[in-house]
Amino acid sequence: MIIRNGKLIFDKHYKNNYDSIAQLYDTVNYPTNFQYNYDHPDWHPYYKGTNLHTLQSCTKSITSLLIGIAIDEELIPDTDMKVMKLFDSYNTAQEDTLKSFITLQDLLTMRGGFKWVKIYLILTRRIVAIS
């Protein structure tokens, strides 16, 4: 979907045959409480009657593109800018002081320094990383 100047200029939906896709995977014998388990009928948008899908890395790509446009239009100086500067109008006094060192470049390259745990589940025919 592309919206320009408040008007829809492009919208395309793609049909998938989820019944045949689901036959490729074990949709029963792995965690049903994991919300991105799209092979399991309890979580996949098709089985829930919607056409919503996770964007995953698409969001990072669009964000990078928009940061580049903002730099080109001189709305922000560059990717070395400290991220917290963008939040000057908010009360961030109680925030972790280490956040004051994080730059846009750090976030765009996923080096923000935020703690997270990566767990790998070995599933039928593929490995899925959960973070």
Side-chain angles (χ1 to χ4, degrees):
M1 177 184 298
I2 299 174
I3 299 173
R4 184 174 185 185
N5 297 325
K7 294 184 180 174
L8 180 65
I9 60 172
F10 180 80
D11 188 16
K12 175 73 175 160
H13 295 262
Y14 299 91
K15 292 204 85 58
N16 287 310
N17 184 339
Y18 291 111
D19 292 322
S20 65
I21 292 170
Q23 290 175 4
L24 300 173
Y25 304 100
D26 179 354
T27 61
V28 178
N29 296 314
Y30 61 87
T32 59
N33 62 343
F34 175 52
Q35 74 180 36
Y36 298 113
N37 176 352
Y38 276 163
D39 294 327
H40 196 284
D42 287 345
W43 287 104
H44 196 287
Y46 169 77
Y47 297 109
K48 293 293 191 183
T50 74
N51 60 0
L52 298 176
H53 286 274
T54 179
L55 296 175
Q56 296 180 4
S57 293
C58 292
T59 302
K60 291 182 282 187
S61 297
I62 297 298
T63 301
S64 296
L65 173 76
L66 294 173
I67 293 293
I69 291 170
I71 291 169
D72 192 51
E73 294 185 3
E74 299 179 352
L75 298 171
I76 57 176
D78 53 38
T79 58
D80 292 327
M81 175 185 183
K82 303 293 186 203
V83 172
M84 293 307 290
K85 184 74 176 147
L86 297 169
F87 297 95
D88 281 348
S89 61
Y90 296 91
N91 180 9
T92 59
Q94 301 300 320
E95 294 295 323
D96 180 351
T97 56
L98 292 176
K99 290 180 183 175
S100 65
F101 296 102
I102 300 172
T103 65
L104 283 173
Q105 181 71 22
D106 292 330
L107 295 182
L108 291 170
T109 57
M110 299 184 68
R111 299 177 309 182
F114 301 104
K115 183 179 179 180
W116 63 289
V117 177
K118 190 178 234 181
I119 303 168
Y120 289 94
L121 293 178
I122 299 174
L123 308 174
T124 306
R125 297 188 184 154
R126 65 186 176 157
I127 296 177
V128 174
I130 303 171
S131 56

